[in-house]
Amino acid sequence: MTAKLIGSTTLELLRGDLTQQDVDAIVNAANSSLLGGGGVDGAIHRAGGPQILEECRAIRARQGCLDVGRAVITSGGRLKARHVIHTVGPVYHRAAGQAPRQLAQCYQRSLDLAAEHGLRTVAFPSISTGAYGYPVADAARVAVHHVKAWIEQHPGALDRVRLVQFSAADHASYRTALGELK
Ligand code: ADP
């Protein structure tokens, strides 16, 4: 575990399984259908049970597909986390020059939603760096930079933001990015 204290909020990196995190909310790297998929999305629905998908279906029936960079919240079903925040990262090769801005929005809007719901601890996966093809070193820089900026702009709003990487190689990229932060 590597961590940095920003005001009273801890920004930390962990190599592990997002679905096992004991936090107020975990963030899902969802697709715009909100109907489940592979990767971390599939793992969350498998671990959390059918309730999460039912709530996603209801959101979709109300408001349609979720645009890239947006976020919605459901309960956490059987997960340790009480909530799941679902956000849609950019597909790297489709987003062209928009990818960094869109990825930053995923982090910002997910953190906004957590704070609006009075949550104190949030854990993220490495959004867009699996099936969506975002180079992990670049995505890690976007993630740590914009999470840090959000924390600085919302002092005391959250106790802890944890960025969780599944692989050792991804974890190393995030550690490098965190080390580069001023
Ligand atoms: P995207 O479609 O946004 O690229 P993916 O789910 O394909 O999302 O991958 C995002 C990242 O999540 C990848 O780095 C993948 O290794 C990681 N991942 C997959 N399962 C888990 C898990 N259970 N916990 C944490 N990270 C996971």
Side-chain angles (χ1 to χ4, degrees):
M1 176 100 70
T2 309
K4 201 174 179 80
L5 190 63
I6 303 163
S8 62
T9 304
T10 302
L11 168 56
E12 64 192 14
L13 308 180
L14 175 76
R15 183 183 172 205
D17 183 346
L18 183 74
T19 66
Q20 300 305 310
Q21 301 304 306
D22 192 358
V23 288
D24 293 334
I26 62 170
V27 177
N28 182 15
N31 58 55
S32 62
S33 80
L34 288 175
L35 298 182
V40 75
D41 193 0
I44 288 170
H45 285 291
R46 275 196 301 281
Q51 157 118 31
I52 302 172
L53 192 57
E54 241 169 67
E55 291 179 44
C56 283
R57 283 211 177 94
I59 291 168
R60 195 190 138 120
R62 267 199 320 272
Q63 65 184 57
C65 287
L66 196 62
D67 287 339
V68 174
R70 300 256 164 201
V72 295
I73 189 166
T74 65
S75 76
R78 293 196 297 257
L79 295 169
K80 285 182 200 156
R82 285 188 291 124
H83 297 277
V84 178
I85 292 171
H86 306 261
T87 189
V88 182
V91 176
Y92 189 72
H93 76 269
R94 270 194 224 144
Q98 300 301 307
R101 186 182 60 79
Q102 291 175 336
L103 186 61
Q105 281 180 347
C106 289
Y107 286 94
Q108 290 158 347
R109 293 204 167 124
S110 297
L111 293 168
D112 287 343
L113 255 190
E116 281 163 26
H117 284 76
L119 310 184
R120 304 296 309 174
T121 54
V122 182
F124 284 89
S126 180
I127 298 168
S128 279
T129 66
Y132 283 4
Y134 206 124
V136 67
D138 296 338
R141 276 190 217 105
V142 171
V144 299
H145 174 83
H146 288 281
V147 170
K148 174 174 177 268
W150 188 96
I151 292 170
E152 287 169 345
Q153 287 156 14
H154 302 78
L158 298 174
D159 295 330
R160 190 173 299 277
V161 179
R162 183 177 295 161
L163 306 181
V164 179
Q165 298 84 45
F166 214 33
S167 75
D170 289 354
H171 186 54
S173 294
Y174 276 75
R175 286 176 69 127
T176 300
L178 190 69
E180 286 168 4
L181 277 186
K182 303 221 170 54

